[in-house]
Amino acid sequence: MTRDQLEAAIVAELEERPKPPAELRDRLSFAAAVADRLRLATKEAAGEVAGPVFYDLRREQDYRYPGGKPKARIRGGQVVRRSPRDVDGIVLHQTAVEYGLTQRQVDAAGGDKRLALARRGLDVACHAIAFRSGVYAATHPLEVHVNHGNGLNPRSLGLEVDGRYAGLEDDPATAAREDLKTTWGGSPTALSELTVETARAALRWLVEAGRAAGMPISKIWAHRQSSATRRSDPGEALWRAVVLDYAVPVLGLVTEPELVVGDGRAIPRAWDPAGRAGY
Ligand SMILES: [Zn+2]
């Protein structure tokens, strides 16, 4: 997109918006969208790789992992679809592994590495996934009951962020000290600016697409809050960068630090001053 096309697109979007925007939330959200586009245009003008790239793979989803285990709730042989009005929040996750590509996966995507990576997200139980390389993908229809967040599944959309992040930034062992049934372990991934930018883009997409589908999305939770074996999910750094510095001030979502579902834990004070003491 050239700078002129970009400016025309922004003006068109300005004209389409109801005016004046009544809520501060709307203005912040719109300002952030304009800033996103300007940054993208600046990068493109400089011949640099553009920002996050989106793949909508919802039609490619087959709802089962390679071994046959379902990624979504199945009832009577059918994938369970929720009523949009029951879905009011997002659960943020870290994948706890770093996703890479085999030559076979690249070949299957016709040599397109970004598409090949996006397709790896089809085997992750979530509605959207953000990869470290700047690719993000929608992997399940939003109304499908995906098995990503335990007791929060009926009312949430799941967002996964690629990488293995420490639960506590000053204690890297929290990336390797979790329940053995999970994939946790190894040294932590450094959280890059591109990963944060991609995760934010994926979150924005989920919120906007969910609301467009009639979902009253207003909240954001950590997987930690609904699972004893996911204490460090998504971890301090992602929680701050994606939730406290973006979802709350820009998208207008609210956190519920005290909320605990099933055997989960509250948000710790190390992640959020409004959280609870201890880890
Ligand atoms: Zn998780």
Side-chain angles (χ1 to χ4, degrees):
M1 190 185 271
T2 66
R3 184 131 205 145
D4 287 349
Q5 289 170 324
L6 180 85
E7 283 175 3
I10 290 171
V11 168
E13 191 165 331
L14 265 173
E15 284 171 353
E16 275 175 27
R17 292 239 156 186
K19 51 191 164 184
E23 304 281 335
L24 177 63
R25 175 188 304 178
D26 287 346
R27 293 203 293 272
L28 281 169
S29 177
F30 181 65
V34 171
D36 281 351
R37 291 194 183 185
L38 285 173
R39 194 166 58 236
L40 205 69
T42 307
K43 278 185 183 174
E44 286 182 354
E48 291 172 18
V49 176
V53 182
F54 176 60
Y55 289 86
D56 187 348
L57 302 181
R58 286 176 285 179
R59 287 165 187 269
E60 291 190 25
Q61 183 55 256
D62 64 7
Y63 305 108
R64 287 183 186 279
Y65 293 109
K69 187 175 166 241
K71 292 171 225 175
R73 174 173 285 184
I74 311 285
R75 194 185 294 137
Q78 298 288 315
V79 170
V80 173
R81 289 172 191 272
R82 306 164 298 177
S83 165
R85 63 178 176 275
D86 292 338
V87 180
D88 64 344
I90 309 281
V91 174
L92 184 64
H93 304 261
Q94 61 159 309
T95 60
V97 294
E98 293 182 345
Y99 279 84
L101 285 173
T102 64
Q103 191 55 48
R104 201 169 153 187
Q105 288 162 341
V106 176
D107 292 345
D112 183 338
K113 286 186 178 173
R114 293 197 291 203
L115 174 60
L117 188 60
R119 281 183 173 159
R120 295 220 58 193
L122 288 167
D123 283 332
V124 182
C126 60
H127 292 91
I129 182 167
F131 292 98
R132 289 167 296 134
S133 63
V135 166
Y136 67 103
T139 58
H140 276 88
L142 301 186
E143 71 277 16
V144 167
H145 181 123
V146 177
N147 298 323
H148 66 89
N150 307 78
L152 286 168
N153 289 337
R155 60 184 292 198
S156 68
L157 299 176
L159 172 59
E160 288 276 2
V161 181
D162 173 23
R164 182 170 49 235
Y165 304 101
L168 298 173
E169 284 299 290
D170 62 4
D171 183 3
T174 50
R177 201 193 285 160
E178 306 303 328
D179 191 280
L180 291 177
K181 285 183 293 186
T182 74
T183 52
W184 303 86
S187 54
T189 306
L191 181 59
S192 72
E193 220 171 283
L194 179 59
T195 304
V196 170
E197 193 183 347
T198 309
R200 289 176 175 181
L203 175 62
R204 172 192 292 280
W205 182 86
L206 272 180
V207 170
E208 290 180 352
R211 286 177 180 165
M215 297 173 173
I217 295 173
S218 63
K219 302 180 176 80
I220 186 159
W221 306 290
H223 191 186
R224 167 192 168 95
Q225 292 177 270
S226 62
S227 172
T229 61
R230 291 283 169 168
R231 185 176 67 151
S232 294
D233 189 356
E236 178 184 345
L238 277 176
W239 190 256
R240 286 174 186 268
V242 177
V243 177
L244 299 188
D245 293 346
Y246 184 74
V248 173
V250 178
L251 300 181
L253 300 184
V254 298
T255 60
E256 295 183 309
E258 298 285 326
L259 180 82
V260 168
V261 176
D263 60 7
R265 293 176 168 95
I267 297 296
R269 202 161 292 161
W271 293 11
D272 181 344
R276 280 202 190 151
Y279 187 66

